[in-house]
Amino acid sequence: MIFLCRTEDLARTGAKGIVLGEGSDRLDVVVVRAKDGALHGYINSCPHQFLPLEIFPDHFFSEDKKHLICSGHGALFEPGTGLCTEGPCENDYLDRLEIAVTEGAIYLNDARTPGVVAREKRSKRNW
Ligand code: FES
């Protein structure tokens, strides 16, 4: 498992962006706390044009705090499912990453290396 952040790192904005690796191995991750308190991990890449979602570090939520919002073209995503409910990629999903939480620490729980996850994601781009 690879350490991502601590649960208290989400206290300010409800979300935390983490970058693992660099170059072609770079994997952008976002960990979010949904309204029910559950934590979820996603690849921080909008299904529309593969941009990272946030404008400012760790600011992923819409003003009403109900959705994650993409800084590119305003797509809205459910924090608990990653489903886009409004915007140019409506009905697409953010790519879920399995996470594990132990004693306040949040880990990426994936047998693949972050670099492999990142390259697999990029290989699926169709533009
Ligand atoms: S890149 Fe996210 S809505 Fe366009």
Side-chain angles (χ1 to χ4, degrees):
M1 292 200 291
I2 294 174
F3 175 75
L4 294 174
C5 62
R6 296 204 51 88
T7 53
E8 59 261 32
D9 295 335
L10 281 73
R12 193 169 52 92
T13 63
K16 176 79 182 160
I18 301 110
V19 175
L20 300 173
E22 54 189 51
S24 60
D25 282 349
R26 178 183 166 127
L27 180 66
D28 285 71
V29 177
V30 56
V31 178
V32 304
R33 188 180 292 285
K35 207 173 179 140
D36 64 0
L39 296 168
H40 302 273
Y42 301 103
I43 297 178
N44 182 12
S45 175
C46 179
H48 180 218
Q49 290 187 348
F50 308 106
L51 300 174
L53 299 178
E54 79 278 28
I55 301 177
F56 302 110
D58 301 332
H59 285 264
F60 288 86
F61 275 89
S62 57
E63 236 173 272
D64 63 9
K65 309 281 187 228
K66 289 183 178 163
H67 295 91
L68 308 177
I69 184 166
C70 179
S71 61
H73 311 96
L76 297 176
F77 301 90
E78 291 180 348
T81 66
L83 171 68
C84 177
T85 57
E86 191 181 316
C89 46
E90 192 170 342
N91 297 321
D92 281 346
Y93 285 85
L94 298 173
D95 292 273
R96 179 173 291 278
L97 294 169
E98 292 305 319
I99 58 171
V101 184
T102 307
E103 294 176 2
I106 304 171
Y107 297 90
L108 177 63
N109 188 15
D110 196 310
R112 301 167 296 172
T113 66
V116 167
V117 175
R119 286 194 294 274
E120 283 181 7
K121 170 70 179 167
R122 287 193 193 93
S123 72
K124 290 182 197 151
R125 289 182 183 180
N126 54 8
W127 58 278

